[in-house]
Amino acid sequence: MSEPGNSAQDYMVKAEGVHKSFGRLEVLKGIDLEVRPGEVMCIVGPSGSGKSTFLRCINHLEKVNGGRLWVDGHLVGYRQKGGKIYELHEKEVAAQRSDIGMVFQRFNLFPHMTALANVMEAPLRVKKESKAVVRGRALKLLDRVGLADKADGYPNQLSGGQQQRVAIARALAMEPKLMLFDEPTSALDPELVGEVLEVMKQLALDGMTMVVVTHEMGFAREVGDSLVFMDYGVVVEKGLPREVLANPQHPRTQDFLSKVL
């Protein structure tokens, strides 16, 4: 088993032959993908194609059954010594995960905490930063996502779009190197989708490296640097978003896009 070459150091995310099974169900069947620093990669495909599972593998919420995943040059969830691979302790995995922000379909905010307290929670508990520093950063982040006036609001007082923007601010509060978005607008009413996508566009403009599982083809076309189409646990097609959306090469991609565009 070889040491990762310089190639892993050149990417924010590098996946080599990633496999993941749940019992007898093989969900990922050898994923090879690379995401450069500052790149926005959009992943599209039908339900059950393995998109969300791949995202969860990137931050080791799911353990891979085969292959390798690196984030920022570091093997995710494991350490390689000589020719052997050793699983990291949970504390080491948590330290790795603190560099990766993740935004889910459901907002998962703490209902008993204000928006401000939700954003402050992880840096206070995980990074043990001072309350004054964390509070100042959290207020700036709420302002950044257009919710400075909702700092004292509780989740049940906010719309779905506002809750998702708080969730984005919460992920950013850990100052991650990489942001993962798992269909962040799919649980929202259509009129609220735009406000969340606008925040994500701004993050992209600011240079954040992002991997976005999405059904929003307009966002992929406008903001994405690369577009990946997955089906049945494999990467079927990858390329520039405008080219793939306008002129898909693979019949399966053509069939899928004909139904969603």
Side-chain angles (χ1 to χ4, degrees), residues 6 9 27 38 46 52 71 77 82-83 115 117 132 136 178 216 222 229 238 242:
N6 289 334
Q9 311 294 330
V27 179
S52 296
V71 171
L178 169 68
E216 302 292 338
E222 183 184 345
F229 173 66
K238 179 179 183 288
R242 289 175 187 273

Side-chain angles (χ1 to χ4, degrees), residues 35-259:
V35 184
R36 293 189 177 278
E39 179 179 344
V40 178
M41 175 181 282
C42 294
I43 304 178
V44 303
S47 296
S49 58
K51 309 182 301 294
S52 296
T53 298
F54 178 62
L55 271 200
R56 292 172 66 84
C57 289
I58 291 175
N59 69 354
H60 207 58
L61 287 174
E62 300 290 354
K63 297 178 185 179
V64 302
N65 299 122
R68 299 284 179 270
L69 257 172
W70 292 269
V71 171
D72 199 24
H74 300 286
L75 204 54
V76 174
Y78 299 91
R79 180 191 305 107
Q80 187 160 327
K81 193 172 181 182
K84 292 189 176 179
I85 291 285
Y86 300 91
E87 191 166 354
L88 296 178
H89 296 298
E90 186 53 42
K91 197 170 182 180
E92 295 169 295
V93 172
Q96 278 191 339
R97 204 177 278 141
S98 70
D99 286 333
I100 305 170
M102 188 157 184
V103 179
F104 300 88
Q105 295 178 35
R106 296 285 170 185
F107 328 122
N108 299 328
L109 299 177
F110 296 114
H112 62 289
M113 291 184 180
T114 63
L116 180 62
N118 265 282
V119 177
M120 292 175 63
E121 180 72 359
L124 288 175
R125 282 187 180 270
V126 179
K127 288 191 169 181
K128 311 293 186 190
E129 294 180 278
S130 85
K131 193 167 184 178
V133 169
V134 171
R135 188 173 191 279
R137 187 160 75 240
L139 286 169
K140 284 179 183 173
L141 285 169
L142 285 172
D143 184 48
R144 187 175 174 184
V145 299
L147 292 173
D149 60 332
K150 301 293 184 183
D152 296 324
Y154 288 86
N156 67 1
Q157 297 170 320
L158 304 176
S159 71
Q162 289 170 336
Q163 289 184 62
Q164 192 62 297
R165 285 187 280 153
V166 172
I168 293 172
R170 179 178 62 179
L172 292 172
M174 291 292 284
E175 300 182 305
K177 300 172 182 175
L178 169 68
M179 284 286 283
L180 308 176
F181 292 87
D182 188 7
E183 297 187 21
T185 59
S186 65
L188 300 178
D189 291 335
E191 68 268 23
L192 301 177
V193 167
E195 63 190 54
V196 173
L197 294 180
E198 199 53 48
V199 170
M200 293 169 64
K201 284 179 197 173
Q202 194 55 56
L203 278 181
L205 287 172
D206 292 343
M208 176 62 76
T209 311
M210 296 158 62
V211 182
V212 184
V213 170
T214 185
H215 294 296
E216 302 292 338
M217 300 301 163
F219 174 86
R221 184 187 292 110
E222 183 184 345
V223 182
D225 297 302
S226 58
L227 181 69
V228 172
F229 173 66
M230 283 180 64
D231 195 23
Y232 289 106
V234 299
V235 173
V236 176
E237 191 164 342
K238 179 179 183 288
L240 296 171
R242 289 175 187 273
E243 291 180 7
V244 174
L245 292 171
N247 189 25
Q249 299 300 301
H250 194 282
R252 183 66 190 95
T253 318
Q254 293 166 6
D255 180 58
F256 174 77
L257 291 177
S258 72
K259 294 182 172 112

Side-chain angles (χ1 to χ4, degrees), residues 7-56:
S7 60
Q9 311 294 330
D10 298 336
Y11 299 99
M12 183 59 74
V13 180
K14 182 175 175 64
E16 280 185 359
V18 171
H19 286 257
K20 175 64 186 175
S21 297
F22 296 99
R24 293 184 179 181
L25 178 64
E26 192 178 18
V27 179
L28 300 177
K29 303 173 183 176
I31 302 293
D32 296 305
L33 281 176
E34 287 132 359
V35 184
R36 293 189 177 278
E39 179 179 344
V40 178
M41 175 181 282
C42 294
I43 304 178
V44 303
S47 296
S49 58
K51 309 182 301 294
S52 296
T53 298
F54 178 62
L55 271 200
R56 292 172 66 84

